[in-house]
Amino acid sequence: MTEATDGVLHTLFRTDQGGHEQVVLCQDRASGLKAVIAIHSTALGPALGGTRFYPYASEEEAVSDALNLARGMSYKNAMAGLDHGGGKAVIIGDPEQIKTEELLLAYGRFVASLGGRYVTACDVGTYVADMDVVARECRWTTGRSPENGGAGDSSVLTAFGVFQGMRASAQHLWGDPSLRGRKVGVAGVGKVGHHLVEHLLQDGAEVVVTDVREESVRRVLDRHPAVTAVPDTDALIRVEGLDIYAPCALGGALHDESVPVLTARIVCGAANNQLAHPGVEKDLADRGILYAPDYVVNAGGVIQVADELHGFDFERCRAKAAKIFDTTLAIFARAKEDGIPPAAAADRIAEHRMAEGRRS
Ligand SMILES: NC(=O)c1ccc[n+]([C@@H]2O[C@H](COP(=O)([O-])OP(=O)(O)OC[C@H]3O[C@@H](n4cnc5c(N)ncnc54)[C@H](O)[C@@H]3O)[C@@H](O)[C@H]2O)c1
């Protein structure tokens, strides 16, 4: 066994990664495709999760990311009440440099070879138009364009779900789901963040935003003159009188430097993997900050892509995404009952559903 394969196998079978069912390494030399498909669990149904296209520094890093992301999808899908297990794929390389139709078609053939054990969709570096191409080779593809029978951009329902999670957080903390008069800081006003701002304004909240892209901030301020902006996330999390902080940019927003200075009483946002490392959920709880687990409140997008597999219906999806309100409340109740942070309570509930719902 070489050092490299030893490294991959070690990662795969590490128990703290959660005991994956299957990992497929894919190579198509003609198109330059190198991909990893990781299936964490099919206990609740076919594994569902997006395809990340990213220039990983090494193949080990790609495998490790695929394993982590696939496991995360099992929990997210279970909590969203979907009959899907968790899976994720990564394509190794810079999408700007190597993404071609030929490569995506080759990738589609690999996903098809799994016969429906894994259903793919968009993630960082892949878009609706890419899924249209993959779908030409693989029927187990979702997140396609409306012109090709898909549901299109999932950020509308993701933002709606995050808003429901925020209302539930307000209900739990202040006894009233309304955000009227509350000051909410949104970090990252991209696809999800700017839709979230609209929900917040409609509900009567005061909104402060920030984004590294000036044009994203400008777009929000031009449309909504009542919104104010601060230069960066560091300034946003220290805004005086901030009630809610919504991380809607990249992962890792909650860490040893940011948690001690947060002025908000609630953290609820769209970004994946907000907790930078294990233990941050406890630091938040110790400061009396209510954290709505990211994978619970940002499930609107996966609810949409799952629905697309059965013929997309926006109202049906919206009704499902609205249930994020009840799910979030149930997590807070369980956290209180068990004396644990909400992130740990969410994991317990998801694990229970996976164990109970296991298909024989
Ligand atoms: N789109 C979906 O349906 C969906 C579903 C689930 C989770 N998410 C997660 O939600 C987050 C946002 O997704 P999106 O689709 O809106 O992405 P996006 O790329 O459209 O928006 C992200 C925004 O964050 C900004 N940003 C990046 N770094 C920043 C920083 N350090 N400080 C402030 N702003 C910064 C970017 O400029 C961009 O405007 C991501 O973490 C994504 O993984 C999205």
Side-chain angles (χ1 to χ4, degrees):
M1 192 182 294
T2 67
E3 209 174 288
T5 55
D6 194 25
V8 169
L9 294 176
H10 174 74
T11 312
L12 172 56
F13 292 122
R14 259 174 54 185
T15 46
D16 63 354
Q17 297 267 0
H20 294 67
E21 287 181 18
Q22 187 176 9
V23 178
V24 184
L25 304 179
C26 318
Q27 175 161 240
D28 177 64
R29 295 181 71 171
S31 64
L33 171 77
K34 277 189 188 172
V36 183
I37 302 171
I39 296 177
H40 174 255
S41 167
T42 56
L44 295 176
L48 170 64
T51 303
R52 183 161 294 191
F53 205 140
Y54 189 78
Y56 292 98
S58 70
E59 280 141 21
E60 269 70 26
E61 197 188 294
V63 172
S64 175
D65 204 29
L67 292 171
N68 275 330
L69 293 166
R71 181 170 185 271
M73 288 309 299
S74 288
Y75 283 74
K76 183 187 281 204
N77 294 340
M79 281 309 292
L82 299 173
D83 292 329
H84 282 285
K88 201 94 177 186
V90 304
I91 298 178
I92 303 170
D94 182 350
E96 302 282 331
Q97 304 283 329
I98 68 160
K99 195 195 284 176
T100 59
E101 186 170 293
E102 192 192 2
L103 180 145
L104 292 171
L105 290 171
Y107 171 64
R109 287 192 291 278
F110 278 112
V111 177
S113 74
L114 295 171
R117 280 176 54 73
Y118 167 64
V119 181
T120 199
C122 303
D123 191 64
V124 174
T126 56
Y127 302 90
V128 164
D130 299 328
M131 289 308 122
D132 284 346
V133 177
V134 173
R136 280 161 43 198
E137 288 284 4
C138 175
R139 52 190 271 231
W140 294 286
T141 307
T142 177
R144 295 158 299 148
S145 67
E147 302 77 57
N148 284 285
D153 180 13
S154 61
S155 60
V156 173
L157 280 177
T158 301
F160 176 68
V162 172
F163 177 60
Q164 296 308 321
M166 238 181 233
R167 292 178 63 249
S169 306
Q171 168 72 48
H172 180 81
L173 199 62
W174 299 309
D176 180 356
S178 170
L179 301 175
R180 174 160 300 278
R182 300 286 176 198
K183 198 186 271 191
V184 185
V186 182
V189 278
K191 292 190 290 295
V192 178
H194 92 268
H195 288 304
L196 180 62
V197 167
E198 281 160 14
H199 287 297
L200 293 169
L201 292 172
Q202 271 166 21
D203 206 29
E206 186 186 335
V207 180
V208 190
V209 302
T210 193
D211 196 295
V212 285
R213 290 179 66 222
E214 183 138 2
E215 58 270 38
S216 299
V217 173
R218 181 58 37 219
R219 178 175 63 159
V220 173
L221 299 187
D222 284 350
R223 261 188 230 164
H224 309 289
V227 173
T228 53
V230 292
D232 53 32
T233 302
D234 198 42
L236 185 85
I237 61 176
R238 296 165 193 264
V239 164
E240 211 174 301
L242 195 69
D243 292 301
I244 303 175
Y245 167 42
C248 293
L250 306 178
L254 303 168
H255 49 75
D256 298 342
E257 279 74 46
S258 62
V259 171
V261 299
L262 286 180
T263 47
R265 298 284 321 279
I266 290 171
V267 177
C268 177
N272 281 309
N273 304 323
Q274 289 170 31
L275 302 170
H277 60 80
V280 177
E281 70 284 1
K282 189 169 175 305
D283 298 339
L284 286 161
D286 288 347
R287 281 209 57 214
I289 298 169
L290 185 66
Y291 170 64
D294 47 13
Y295 70 82
V296 177
V297 300
N298 74 12
V302 78
I303 288 171
Q304 172 168 321
V305 294
D307 195 80
E308 181 182 319
L309 293 167
H310 312 285
F312 179 58
D313 181 297
F314 183 79
E315 285 312 318
R316 181 173 62 206
C317 275
R318 197 172 189 278
K320 260 193 190 167
K323 290 193 182 141
I324 289 174
F325 181 89
D326 294 334
T327 308
T328 309
L329 275 184
I331 287 163
F332 294 148
R334 176 71 182 265
K336 202 169 169 195
E337 207 177 293
D338 292 3
I340 54 175
D347 287 355
R348 278 190 191 171
I349 297 172
E351 281 158 11
H352 180 75
R353 174 154 199 255
M354 283 187 258
E356 288 285 295
R358 190 168 288 278
R359 299 180 303 168
S360 50

